[in-house]
Amino acid sequence: MTKKFYIKTFGCQMNVADSRVMGELLLKSGFEKTEDPSTADVVIFNSCSVRKHAEDRLFSNLGLTMKKNPSARFILAGCTAQRFGEKLLKRFKKLSAVLGPGEIFKIEKVVRDVLEGKKVIATGRTEYRFVERRADISENVVIGRGCNNFCSYCVVPFLRGREEYRPSSDILKEISCLVESGTKEVILLGQNVNSYRDPEKGLNFCELLDEISKIKGLLRIRFLTSHPKDVPDELVVLMKKNEKIAKHIHLPVQAGSNKILKQMNRKYTREKYIEIAQKFRSEIPDIAITTDIIVGFPTETEEDFFKTEDLVKKVKFDGIYVFKYSPRDGTSASKLKDAVSEEEKQRRHKRILDLARKISLARRASFVGKTCDVLFEKNEIGHNSQNFLVFKKGAKKGSFLKLEIKDVKNEMLLA
Ligand code: 5AD
Ligand code: SF4
């Protein structure tokens, strides 16, 4: 009988992409996918370690699913697997395998092994390879893995290793293949896309974007994530003139105080960040700028926090993710006393979110009366170039339409 697998994904877009690769490899080797973990023979949890909260949720979810489906085999994949390694097999007796993010391509063998009753630990790193898949309208394409930045709060470099980029020839082949089977938009993924370097031809990120934009039939290119210290003027120029590149940049600022930025090892100042944002806004007036912010970093005083609020007001972000600082073992910030209380973190979190929401709603409202290019990833639901959600009654999945925005409801544009 065909064995069924279930995959649940925690964390970032990179994990979503990794889960997709694992799922596709398993489908290719004859396994069947199920959306219900209680009917699965193999349950895979693709985990995230970036904050304690994500890990807590993972562990409680894992324990619960193990109780509900005691006969299944369990594989813990992703960053938490990398972080705790074989300790997890001791902690969870029902766990069969620990599979780090560098080894996702081994999933078929791991699944076969655990079905035979073996225990597996795979926390090395294998070469990235291109996995053909049934194309969706919008597809993630990984251009590189790992991170060299060592921001003082972040565990990612310890778990995903140093930066490693795929050759542009591979990336272009993958995207061409996807476009031939119906993909209209790609989202280039990397922990720090702006430091892309083609290991074969030496192309930089802008040159890669330019090459990708020549693929016929591809309508839109997005990318995630950019580090402010690595954004060249050349990118602003390219985004301005190249119609295929979406008018959106996700540019995590993390904090608005120079003292905190220094302690975070971010390698830019608030002034520099504001200057970059202003350059984008003056060259590309309708660009959307989104960001990540951490509140409650160990030494963050009320005054530091005000500087973050002030920066949010100055840049007028179109979207924002706010996180409460969470100490992670092994990072340099974890040696500092986690001095801001949970209540205070909660208060700062809410204040930034409330402020940012007002600003982003006003930004969206300014699109009423304007015409936008909207790509529909689903029937009636699409995104414009700025990555704002757009609703249009009757619009068909896959269509790319020029639409006048009539109204805004919550965070959604109505066309
Ligand atoms: N605590 C809170 N937030 C964190 N992030 C990364 N590490 C931590 C941490 N230790 C946030 C950053 C990053 C986003 C993906 O997660 O804002 O940009
Ligand atoms: Fe993604 Fe970082 Fe979480 Fe790993 S720890 S899943 S890289 S956000």
Side-chain angles (χ1 to χ4, degrees), residues 10-12 14-15 47-50 79 155-156 159-160 191:
F10 296 79
C12 64
M14 193 61 93
N15 260 20
S47 59
C48 173
S49 282
V50 83
C79 292
V155 78
V156 170
L159 304 179
R160 289 195 172 250
Q191 248 76 40

Side-chain angles (χ1 to χ4, degrees), residues 189-200:
L189 296 184
Q191 248 76 40
N192 185 12
V193 289
N194 293 95
S195 43
Y196 176 82
R197 266 287 160 189
D198 184 339
E200 285 173 357

Side-chain angles (χ1 to χ4, degrees), residues 126-142:
T126 42
E127 194 157 315
Y128 200 90
R129 69 183 161 88
F130 163 39
V131 175
E132 264 183 70
R133 54 194 189 265
R134 262 144 305 171
D136 231 325
I137 301 299
S138 175
E139 282 280 346
N140 290 323
V141 173
V142 174

Side-chain angles (χ1 to χ4, degrees), residues 12 49-52 152-156 225 250 252-254 266 291-295 321-328 331:
C12 64
S49 282
V50 83
R51 283 170 296 276
K52 184 169 181 296
S152 66
Y153 50 82
C154 187
V155 78
V156 170
T225 293
H250 184 62
V253 65
Q254 312 298 0
R266 291 292 288 176
T291 204
D292 292 346
I293 284 174
I294 298 177
V295 294
Y321 296 93
V322 191
F323 306 103
K324 291 183 273 178
Y325 171 73
S326 167
R328 305 277 70 202
T331 60

